[in-house]
Amino acid sequence: MDIKKSLVSKDAQVKKVGEGYSFTEGPAVDREGNVYFTDQPNNKIYKWKFSTGEISVFSDEAGRSNGLYFNRQGDLIACADKENELWSFDMDGNHEVLLENFKGNKLNGPNDLWIRPQGGIYLTDPLYARDYWDRDPEMQQDGQHLYYLSADGLQFFRVDENLVKPNGLVGTPDGKKLYVADIGDDKTYVYDIEEDGYLTNRQLFVEMGSDGMTIDNRGNLYLTGKGVTIFNSKGDQIGHIPIDANWTANVCFGAGDRKTLFITAMDAVYTFPMKVRGVW
């Protein structure tokens, strides 16, 4: 394990805390520090309770959810891939549909999202054809794009149409910068966020794509794929956490102090203790 001492204790170990799933994805932390994650092939969302380590089913009618994120009101917003929609779950597991289409056509398949402090939602829409779709599996839009849904839900528009296959994304806690992985072009970009939600000043951050991603309170970015790779805000690699799985899909910070890295990888979920903490 190659990682800076300022990030993690020297004796820190990756711990498997759950297994037996089909494909884990979408970890999202609630206000208390519990982490919710999806098992998309089995149409379930699970909850990991950090205080006990217990994992329980939150929803077994999860709309084939992939990426998840909590809004400031405590609702769990989900990229519901079954019908290519955006859903909102209350804490009883009831859902409502926030978004059904773009200009009358279905989305390709909402994959990941990040909610800015002001409440607007950034959303990636790549195409990964699913065997559970009733629809035509071909692309429904004219490309694989990055979108923005305004906080009031009244405006929904594209903010980058020049990506190959956008996937993971995360923003800074001040709401000023957005990182987006173009997994189809093996690149991650950083943008400036404007007040109206539009993005400007796209810059190449690193020559590496990612599935999911997260950020810590020092501005370090955590990318996934072959384990977890950590970059500082300048784009310099400062760490790598190997995971014993063919693919590491996603990552977030959990627990009450946000110092536990929660990692979803293939059929299992893992934790890793950090010195730095997450910001959500």
Side-chain angles (χ1 to χ4, degrees):
M1 189 174 302
D2 177 22
I3 190 166
K4 285 201 169 184
K5 292 176 184 174
S6 61
L7 294 174
V8 64
S9 301
K10 65 178 181 180
D11 56 350
Q13 298 289 323
V14 174
K15 179 183 178 184
K16 184 185 286 187
V17 295
E19 60 185 340
Y21 310 103
S22 290
F23 191 83
T24 57
E25 250 288 9
V29 63
D30 69 11
R31 194 165 293 167
E32 294 177 1
N34 307 303
V35 176
Y36 292 65
F37 65 93
T38 67
D39 184 4
Q40 190 177 37
N42 290 318
N43 200 21
K44 287 181 169 60
I45 297 174
Y46 290 90
K47 175 185 177 180
W48 172 73
K49 192 172 181 180
F50 77 90
S51 58
T52 64
E54 175 195 2
I55 294 177
S56 57
V57 175
F58 169 70
S59 173
D60 56 9
E61 291 293 335
R64 302 279 187 174
S65 287
N66 193 336
L68 306 173
Y69 207 89
F70 277 92
N71 66 17
R72 292 292 174 97
Q73 292 73 45
D75 302 314
L76 184 61
I77 312 303
C79 293
D81 193 55
K82 183 179 180 182
E83 299 293 340
N84 318 116
E85 297 170 335
L86 194 65
W87 285 12
S88 174
F89 287 92
D90 65 22
M91 285 300 93
D92 293 323
N94 304 308
H95 80 271
E96 62 174 311
V97 178
L98 299 182
L99 194 64
E100 294 180 319
N101 60 66
F102 179 72
K103 294 188 175 179
N105 291 327
K106 276 186 177 292
L107 292 163
N108 297 317
N111 185 277
D112 205 359
L113 74 151
W114 176 73
I115 304 177
R116 64 192 294 210
Q118 298 91 332
I121 300 173
Y122 290 96
L123 176 75
T124 57
D125 185 44
L127 178 68
Y128 293 98
R130 312 294 191 185
D131 57 11
Y132 51 74
W133 281 346
D134 294 327
R135 61 164 246 208
D136 181 346
E138 296 301 311
M139 197 176 299
Q140 302 297 294
Q141 296 291 326
D142 63 2
Q144 303 177 72
H145 305 306
L146 176 65
Y147 294 81
Y148 178 73
L149 177 65
S150 61
D152 59 13
L154 298 178
Q155 293 180 292
F156 182 52
F157 51 86
R158 291 174 178 168
V159 287
D160 194 343
E161 297 182 323
N162 295 297
L163 297 162
V164 179
K165 187 185 281 286
N167 197 308
L169 74 171
V170 72
T172 54
D174 61 8
K176 292 183 177 179
K177 289 192 181 295
L178 181 71
Y179 295 91
V180 179
D182 188 347
I183 201 169
D185 200 25
D186 210 24
K187 291 176 172 60
T188 295
Y189 296 101
V190 58
Y191 306 77
D192 291 334
I193 299 175
E194 299 300 317
E195 197 171 323
D196 58 7
Y198 282 95
L199 302 175
T200 57
N201 193 30
R202 180 174 107 166
Q203 302 283 329
L204 178 66
F205 179 67
V206 290
E207 292 267 4
M208 177 181 169
S210 186
D211 196 337
M213 65 174 75
T214 195
I215 194 169
D216 70 23
N217 65 324
R218 295 184 193 169
N220 301 314
L221 200 68
Y222 296 66
L223 304 187
T224 58
K226 294 180 180 177
V228 180
T229 307
I230 309 169
F231 296 88
N232 66 18
S233 58
K234 296 177 182 176
D236 303 320
Q237 184 174 329
I238 57 172
H240 181 260
I241 305 167
I243 303 296
D244 186 19
N246 289 337
W247 185 254
T248 300
N250 214 327
V251 62
C252 79
F253 281 89
D257 60 3
R258 301 296 193 274
K259 287 186 176 181
T260 297
L261 207 58
F262 189 95
I263 302 159
T264 61
M266 303 298 289
D267 62 350
V269 290
Y270 304 81
T271 58
F272 187 70
M274 302 289 294
K275 285 183 178 177
V276 292
R277 61 180 175 81
V279 292
W280 309 110

